[in-house]
Amino acid sequence: MAIARFGWTEVDGTEVVGPAQRLTWPKTLGIGVQHVVAMFGSTFLVPVLTGFPPATTLLFSGIGTLLFLVITGNRLPSYLGSSFAVIAPITAAAAAQGTGSALGGIVAVGALLMLVGAVVHLVGTTWIERLMPPVVTGAIVALIGLNLAPAAKANFEKAAVTATITLVCLIASLALFKGMLGRLAIFTSVLIGYAVASVRGEVDTSKVAEAAWVGLPQLQAPSFSWAVLPMFLPVVLVLVAENVGHVRSVAQMTGTDYDPVMGRALAADGLATVLAGAGGGSATTTYAENIGVMAATRVYSTAAYWVAGISAILLGLSPKVGAVIASIPAGVLGGVTTALYGLVGILGVRIWVQARVDFSRPINQLTAAVPLIIGIADFTWSLGQVVFTGIALGSVAAIVIYQGMRLLGRRGGAVLG
């Protein structure tokens, strides 16, 4: 039966529920809440780790999700949560030029992602796949995660006992539980770590008591500095890879060709990131956690994402919720991020494995090896007032080494593998 673009056909749920369908509204509300819970553990950690107001990030996460649904014609089920790819550049930019400059970097990332989305909408994704094959994409994702290792260590050492308990709980939860309980491992370990930290006197709840239950979150305008913008450029490459991977994953699960809306999806995430940066929130990206919920429930209804987006907005309008999140102590964060930052690095390795990258070939060896060392050691290069950090240099190196060796190999007839 034909439906309006922003309507849904109600089904009984005995089979797969497609994007244009929905369960009864009570059941749809329940699925929507599951999506909120699934995204919450990762989404609230990014502002906590970067010093951004958690309530502000939640608010713009919800707004971004609703915009994504509108821009993609209500066809593509997706939640836009906080991107871990921006943690390192935000931390570096804030330390060098202040939080406003970090927000300016986020706005720039969003604007460039919108531009990429427009190009993809016009010419397709083939050029992305040629510019950034899996060996390049994997290297960039891996070096961003591994570049954050010192930050995890710094938090861990502030309260090693609490951090160790939190990390053990995270590992145990993933080992013992499957389904939704397994997906809530981050959230559960943070709760346990928070309780342990409270007993040990490591939690300051003074601001929680002062915060109102309802109110606007803390907003901040961005500022722009050429000195910090290079730190954020590689994030665009990661967000492109994440979005393309998400759309392809949903297409595989639903049996629907979403390539025609790929450009819209990228542009929508870019717009959501621009708005977040303009108001004091973190960059957004499509969330694998919510893909997991869809895979487990076989409910791909965009109606559930409308529920999730609205719920996130309501959470963002509660300063008390934001104050509770902001009170998470360093030890808890150190335990969680020891695993999470490592997992971001392993996601890059996963890209190599899934694409069956042949590391017996010198072109692939060097495309991965050199950028990883640059990123992990955090090489820097100054050009006047502009400073290129390990993430920016490593990302550029991955692309230049691959494309350069490929071009030279063709002209010189060298055997690259």
Side-chain angles (χ1 to χ4, degrees), residues 49-371:
L49 295 172
T50 56
F52 284 6
T56 308
T57 293
L58 285 172
L59 174 67
F60 284 106
S61 172
I63 292 173
T65 297
L66 300 188
L67 281 173
F68 185 95
L69 293 170
V70 171
I71 292 172
T72 57
N74 205 37
R75 295 171 56 191
L76 183 57
S78 179
Y79 188 88
L80 297 187
S82 302
S83 172
F84 276 80
V86 295
I87 294 176
I90 286 176
T91 302
Q97 301 278 344
T99 304
S101 68
L103 293 173
I106 291 173
V107 171
V109 166
L112 286 173
L113 189 58
M114 290 175 65
L115 179 61
V116 172
V119 174
V120 168
H121 186 69
L122 293 174
V123 303
T125 61
T126 302
W127 66 278
I128 295 177
E129 294 160 358
R130 289 179 178 173
L131 177 67
M132 296 190 303
V135 65
V136 173
T137 305
I140 293 173
V141 173
L143 70 87
I144 285 178
L146 298 177
N147 177 268
L148 291 164
K153 178 186 177 184
N155 278 324
F156 199 103
E157 292 179 341
K158 290 179 180 178
V161 173
T162 300
T164 300
I165 293 173
T166 304
L167 178 58
V168 170
C169 288
L170 174 56
I171 295 171
S173 296
L174 289 170
L176 293 173
F177 304 118
K178 296 181 179 180
M180 279 303 297
L181 287 176
R183 294 189 187 95
L184 295 176
I186 296 173
F187 189 64
T188 303
S189 61
V190 168
L191 288 178
I192 296 173
Y194 193 95
V196 171
S198 297
V199 172
R200 294 174 56 83
E202 299 168 356
V203 180
D204 179 7
T205 59
S206 58
K207 293 184 179 180
V208 177
E210 298 170 0
W213 281 103
V214 179
L216 288 175
Q218 179 182 343
L219 302 177
Q220 181 177 349
S223 60
F224 297 92
S225 169
W226 286 109
V228 303
L229 289 181
M231 304 177 188
F232 289 86
L233 295 180
V235 175
V236 179
L237 304 178
V238 176
L239 294 182
V240 169
E242 287 179 341
N243 276 272
V244 171
H246 171 89
V247 173
R248 296 263 164 87
S249 296
V250 176
Q252 185 178 26
M253 289 190 296
T254 61
T256 305
D257 180 14
Y258 283 117
D259 277 0
V261 297
M262 186 79 75
R264 290 189 182 188
L266 290 165
D269 190 10
L271 177 59
T273 296
V274 167
L275 291 176
S282 187
T284 62
T285 187
T286 47
Y287 251 31
E289 288 86 343
N290 298 94
I291 291 180
V293 173
M294 290 192 291
T297 62
R298 297 199 304 170
V299 176
Y300 309 107
S301 173
T302 56
Y305 283 96
W306 281 92
V307 172
I310 292 170
S311 298
I313 291 172
L314 294 176
L315 286 173
L317 294 175
S318 176
K320 192 170 288 291
V321 171
V324 170
I325 297 171
S327 69
I328 298 172
V332 176
L333 297 178
V336 171
T337 55
T338 296
L340 288 184
Y341 293 166
L343 287 174
V344 174
I346 294 301
L347 284 177
V349 177
R350 182 185 178 191
I351 291 172
W352 293 333
V353 172
Q354 289 181 330
R356 298 182 179 179
V357 175
D358 183 1
F359 279 108
S360 68
R361 302 180 63 201
I363 187 173
N364 292 334
Q365 292 171 357
L366 290 172
T367 298
V370 175

